[in-house]
Amino acid sequence: MMLQTGNPNVRFAPRPVEGITDSNQVEPERLILDGQQRLTSLFQSLMLGKPVKTRDTRGKEIYRYYYINIDKIIIPKLIEKKQLLVFPRIK
């Protein structure tokens, strides 16, 4: 869910998606209201080129690489665990 900005009577303090380091940040046109964790994870796994910071089931901070197996994901109605590959920080 996104919120369009521009109403001078309503101000939210925007912050960039975690992992964005661009020093030329501009005023956003939209704010993420719901789904920020998913969008952050997608951005980090697909765009950063470094491991994604996440947490294990005990809450311990860990770093993982995520890869999409394109051959497996484009086959319609095929659901397998090997569509998304996960590796620890050390490749």
Side-chain angles (χ1 to χ4, degrees):
M1 181 183 297
M2 307 286 273
L3 173 69
Q4 187 172 357
T5 61
N7 183 340
N9 299 321
V10 179
R11 291 287 301 158
F12 291 98
R15 63 185 179 108
V17 170
E18 187 176 334
I20 294 178
T21 57
D22 187 0
S23 61
N24 298 322
Q25 295 176 9
V26 297
E27 189 70 24
E29 293 179 17
R30 291 181 181 82
L31 301 176
I32 303 168
L33 296 181
D34 185 35
Q36 194 218 355
Q37 287 179 314
R38 287 185 185 100
L39 290 173
T40 298
S41 295
L42 278 170
F43 171 77
Q44 289 182 358
S45 61
L46 298 175
M47 302 301 292
L48 285 187
K50 61 183 184 180
V52 175
K53 182 172 73 170
T54 188
R55 295 191 178 274
D56 66 11
T57 56
R58 298 168 298 198
K60 180 183 174 192
E61 190 173 277
I62 58 174
Y63 293 84
R64 294 287 186 261
Y65 285 99
Y66 294 88
Y67 297 94
I68 297 171
N69 188 332
I70 299 297
D71 291 335
K72 300 275 185 190
I73 211 161
I74 61 173
I75 299 172
K77 298 182 182 178
L78 176 65
I79 298 176
E80 289 187 20
K81 290 182 179 179
K82 297 189 182 217
Q83 290 174 327
L84 179 65
L85 307 173
V86 182
F87 297 95
R89 182 191 310 205
I90 301 169
K91 290 185 178 180

